[in-house]
Amino acid sequence: MNPDIVCLRDDFRLDDQPAIAASAERPALYVYVHDQSPRNGRPLGGAAKWRLYQSLKAMERRLAENGARLDVLAGPADATILALARAAGASRVLWTRRYEAAGMALDAAVKAALRERGVEGESFNGRLIREPWEFDRGDGHLPRSFSAFFRRHQSERDMPAPKPAPARLSSAPWPEGAPERAPIEALRLTTTKPDWSGELALGERPGEEGGLAALRCFVEEGLSGYASDRDLASGEATSHLSPHLRFGEVSAIRAAYVVDGVAARQRLRRDAEKFLSELGWRDFAALLLYAHPDLAAKPLRPEFERFPFREDEAAFRAWSRGETGYPIVDAGMRQLWRTGFMHNRVRLVAASFLVKHLLIDWRRGEEWFWDTLCDADPASNPMNWQWVAGSGADAAPFFRIFNPMLQAEKFDPDGAYVRRWVPELARLEAPHVHRPWNATEAALSRAGVVLGKTYPRPMVDHAAARARALAAFEEIKAEPTA
Ligand code: FAD
């Protein structure tokens, strides 16, 4: 029997994995083709590469436990898949769809080339709850605001149901004359610039089993109270599913389905609705990327092209290393650097600080997050940065400037988050931990803090930075002169 080829890519799971389910009845080749050229989508940043390595190792084990094998190849995705299909005499090649222009174009070209050779190329939605084109009502217009999008997301039809993992799989023998396989280690995914030994993905268990366990833990411990507590920086109320969703170790449909089911039984409607709306943001980001392929490069509001951003390498470095002198920003940036993760509320505050307090281009921040987040996602990352910068479709208005101290006092009320990630402030008492510059000399000395020495003084004054940002915003509001 001619084998199927299942091309795995950001969908490293067996549960609710439609491409694998479709091939489960027959021997197949389960392949991952490593191609980091921009033709195959945005090349991964350092932390995401490290996380991909973990995902591949876990998928290799998962397939082996189920009677199958993960075959890893490296090379141009299109030529490699075509060569493999030819050598295997495959009748079908199956994959999960993506929403980036470059990747979509490559997949369309592969499908056409396969068809010419009499091979069927079949793609599936294995990534989103609803795909972008489901929102086109035939007039070519996609919703531009999240609220319009989410109304339709919820109301169109019943929530799709997840498909269980196949009972057993079988791999076809590796065909003669096929491209040569490589061990996962040969992809050199873990040799990243910084020394990320130790704490990257701290507390996380990469892979499908870890992802499903995180989902179970969330519905048992985090869901009740999610709506009210999800903004607390300690992060105990949120699911920590983002890296699992990013690499497809858990499907968004499965996450929505489990949360919905538990909420109905336990009367946690408000919490579930909030969670489902967060998954909705993830789908919305994919829709925006589909509609605006240059989402990471171009502001959705064209007037922001004229924004007078500053070039300031020293300031950018201080921000990226968590040395701004604003404890909540520094805590977030250090959590990111060390673990590849940052709590959503703190992402908002830290990103806003870069764009509004330092007037540095959001695209630089987006690239930094792209390189350091384990969950770095080609749609969610630029969408959120544009939202923070005020240049997104329905972004927060630019003139709303987060006050880092008030945000910290509200979302890290006892200072535990700051103390954890900025240990030099660990002994400062609660009212001062978010504003060390207001502490008395005696309080600082009791805590062993010497401002400007053991911990930086604020690199900009909040009120002055706010006034400067608003003045910069006035400049782009004025009509450009011809
Ligand atoms: P939960 O609160 O448990 O949410 C459940 C899931 O919903 C998340 O896992 C995520 O998949 C999705 N989600 C939640 N909030 C958002 C959001 N605002 N936008 C899109 N999806 C969301 N998320 C990424 O997955 N990848 C990114 O590259 C990314 N970059 C970001 C950059 C900035 C500047 C900001 C402000 C946010 C970014 N986010 C990104 C969104 C959000 O911060 C993370 O998804 C969230 O912190 C993950 O934690 P969690 O899984 O515990 O979230």
Side-chain angles (χ1 to χ4, degrees), residues 198-231:
E199 288 185 306
L200 205 56
L202 187 74
E204 214 217 316
R205 197 163 103 214
E208 179 173 12
E209 284 175 331
L212 292 174
L215 177 58
R216 271 195 305 277
C217 175
F218 172 63
V219 292
E220 281 162 18
E221 292 168 22
L223 182 58
S224 169
Y226 176 79
S228 53
D229 297 347
R230 65 178 292 272
D231 277 329

Side-chain angles (χ1 to χ4, degrees), residues 90-95 111 114-115 117-122:
S91 46
R92 292 194 303 173
V93 179
L94 315 170
W95 64 82
K111 198 174 226 174
L114 287 169
R115 194 178 310 121
R117 294 161 170 77
V119 182
E120 199 188 331
E122 222 182 304

Side-chain angles (χ1 to χ4, degrees), residues 26-222:
R26 43 198 297 167
L29 294 168
Y30 300 96
V31 299
Y32 166 69
V33 181
H34 189 65
D35 175 1
Q36 282 287 288
S37 70
R39 290 175 63 237
N40 192 37
R42 187 172 178 182
L44 293 181
K49 271 192 201 156
W50 179 93
R51 188 59 180 71
L52 168 65
Y53 172 82
Q54 309 294 330
S55 241
L56 287 170
K57 292 299 279 184
M59 188 62 176
E60 185 174 56
R61 286 193 298 276
R62 190 95 178 94
L63 282 168
E65 285 157 12
N66 284 272
R69 193 181 66 236
L70 176 67
D71 292 311
V72 173
L73 301 161
D78 43 1
T80 309
I81 293 165
L82 293 174
L84 177 61
R86 190 179 320 113
S91 46
R92 292 194 303 173
V93 179
L94 315 170
W95 64 82
T96 296
R97 284 192 281 275
R98 51 184 164 175
Y99 310 94
E100 288 181 274
M104 288 175 72
L106 186 134
D107 292 351
V110 168
K111 198 174 226 174
L114 287 169
R115 194 178 310 121
E116 272 172 27
R117 294 161 170 77
V119 182
E120 199 188 331
E122 222 182 304
S123 67
F124 300 84
N125 170 23
R127 193 151 178 78
L128 302 178
I129 297 174
R130 300 197 196 288
E131 295 184 290
W133 38 87
E134 294 181 45
F135 295 84
D136 180 352
R137 289 199 166 137
D139 56 4
H141 292 296
L142 295 172
R144 280 181 62 87
S145 74
F146 178 72
S147 47
F149 165 84
F150 197 57
R151 259 196 311 281
R152 275 154 70 179
H153 194 270
Q154 294 301 86
S155 68
E156 292 280 296
R157 266 169 283 127
D158 287 343
M159 182 72 84
K163 298 173 191 61
R168 186 124 193 104
L169 301 170
S170 73
S171 277
W174 193 247
E176 257 181 52
E180 209 169 302
R181 289 171 289 175
I184 298 169
E185 286 70 20
L187 305 179
R188 305 176 68 78
L189 294 168
T190 52
T191 52
T192 49
K193 277 174 298 195
D195 174 15
W196 265 325
S197 52
E199 288 185 306
L200 205 56
L202 187 74
E204 214 217 316
R205 197 163 103 214
E208 179 173 12
E209 284 175 331
L212 292 174
L215 177 58
R216 271 195 305 277
C217 175
F218 172 63
V219 292
E220 281 162 18
E221 292 168 22

Side-chain angles (χ1 to χ4, degrees), residues 286-348:
L287 176 141
L288 284 182
L289 181 62
Y290 171 73
H292 306 278
D294 44 10
L295 190 64
K298 230 174 140 164
L300 292 181
R301 290 173 188 259
E303 67 272 25
F304 277 83
E305 290 282 19
R306 304 195 307 273
F307 196 89
F309 288 120
R310 296 182 325 121
E311 303 274 336
D312 186 341
E313 268 321 298
F316 181 77
R317 193 180 156 84
W319 173 80
S320 60
R321 297 304 153 113
E323 288 165 6
T324 67
Y326 282 86
I328 190 74
V329 174
D330 293 343
M333 296 307 295
R334 294 188 201 182
Q335 180 189 19
L336 174 63
W337 180 248
R338 280 171 53 189
T339 70
F341 186 83
M342 198 200 299
H343 183 275
N344 181 61
R345 172 57 52 175
V346 192
R347 289 186 204 200
L348 289 167

Side-chain angles (χ1 to χ4, degrees), residues 233-234 326-332 334-335 338 408 412-435 447 449 455:
S234 61
Y326 282 86
I328 190 74
V329 174
D330 293 343
R334 294 188 201 182
Q335 180 189 19
R338 280 171 53 189
D412 182 30
D414 58 3
Y417 177 79
V418 162
R419 286 201 190 84
R420 173 161 188 206
W421 296 108
V422 187
E424 59 268 39
L425 300 181
R427 286 160 52 213
L428 261 187
E429 290 121 40
H432 304 312
V433 74
H434 296 309
R435 307 170 187 250
V449 178
Y455 182 71

